[in-house]
Amino acid sequence: MSPGPATALLAAVATAGFLVDRIWALAAMTVILVVVCMRSPVERRWLYISGALFSALGVIVISPLTWSSGGGTLLWEGPTLPVIGPLDLSTDEIQIAVVNGLRLAVVALAF
C-alpha cells in the first residue's frame, strides 16, 4: 500500500478511536493496530509499542484515583488528600479510565 492511502486509513482509525465509546471496539482496534505495528522492523517496534501501551496503562491505573465521578458503585473509599481531594474508586470511574486508556493506545499506535 502506498503512503497516501495508508496515512488516510490510519487517520480514519485514530478518528474512530476518538468517537467510539465501547470498550470492546476500542480493544479490537488496539489489537489490530498492534498487529499492524508488528510488521515494522524489530529495532524500532518494541520501543514504539511499549511506549504506547505503557502510557495507556498509566492512564488506566492512575485516572480512576484522581477523578471522582459520583456515579457507579463505590468500590473503595480512601483518604482525602489536600491537593487532590478524596481518593475513591467506583465502577463508573474504572470504565471511563479504561475507555480513555484504550483511546490513547489507539491514537498512539495509529500515528
Side-chain angles (χ1 to χ4, degrees):
M1 182 179 279
S2 62
T7 302
L9 180 64
L10 291 175
V13 171
T15 302
F18 281 123
L19 298 175
V20 174
D21 61 350
R22 303 275 189 245
I23 293 175
W24 65 269
L26 289 167
M29 284 192 279
T30 302
V31 168
I32 290 169
L33 288 171
V34 166
V35 169
V36 169
C37 288
M38 292 296 283
R39 296 188 63 196
S40 67
V42 176
E43 299 84 30
R44 292 180 284 178
R45 93 173 82 161
W46 294 115
L47 180 64
Y48 185 71
I49 292 173
S50 63
L53 295 180
F54 282 136
S55 297
L57 183 65
V59 168
I60 292 170
V61 170
I62 295 173
S63 179
L65 296 174
T66 59
W67 182 69
S68 181
S69 68
T73 303
L74 187 63
L75 300 174
W76 177 70
E77 187 173 356
T80 300
L81 299 177
V83 177
I84 298 175
L87 293 179
D88 57 351
L89 190 62
S90 70
T91 56
D92 188 36
E93 294 166 358
I94 293 173
Q95 180 184 6
I96 292 170
V98 169
V99 167
N100 288 335
L102 287 174
R103 281 180 179 161
L104 176 63
V106 166
V107 172
L109 290 171
F111 292 108

